[in-house]
Amino acid sequence: VLRGKKVLEAVPDIAWDKGGAALLILNRLKDVPGGYLPIMVGDDVTDEAAFRALEKRGITVRIGRSKRKKTLAGFYLKNYRETLRLLEAVM
């Protein structure tokens, strides 16, 4: 069981997490014509594995900046409204 922000996440006892899922998706997209830019946005400790996996392959963003929380995300957004603005800008 992983404790997250307002959540308990039940995970199987295997080497699999959001980072592994992100890499699987990237592997399946490797032949997409024109390429792609992965963007991972999260607000929880359970998102850190995906931030790690995408560290040099895409944009990683943590929502809710706090000096007390360490993160592997490359960028911060204050709230979900800023997330919508980011997505509108890259679309």
Side-chain angles (χ1 to χ4, degrees), residues 5 41-47 51 61-64 69 80:
K5 180 178 163 186
V41 179
D43 68 347
D44 197 80
V45 67
T46 61
D47 298 314
F51 294 154
V61 182
R62 176 163 174 89
I63 301 171
K69 295 179 183 174
Y80 289 97

Side-chain angles (χ1 to χ4, degrees), residues 6-62:
K6 298 181 184 179
V7 66
L8 290 176
E9 187 172 326
V11 296
D13 190 19
I14 59 173
W16 188 253
D17 55 26
K18 290 180 182 180
L23 293 176
L24 176 70
I25 292 168
L26 289 182
N27 188 44
R28 293 199 176 170
L29 293 174
K30 66 183 175 191
D31 297 324
V32 170
Y36 56 88
L37 175 63
I39 300 174
M40 172 63 190
V41 179
D43 68 347
D44 197 80
V45 67
T46 61
D47 298 314
E48 292 296 322
F51 294 154
R52 181 182 303 108
L54 297 173
E55 188 173 27
K56 295 181 181 178
R57 299 177 183 202
I59 296 172
T60 55
V61 182
R62 176 163 174 89

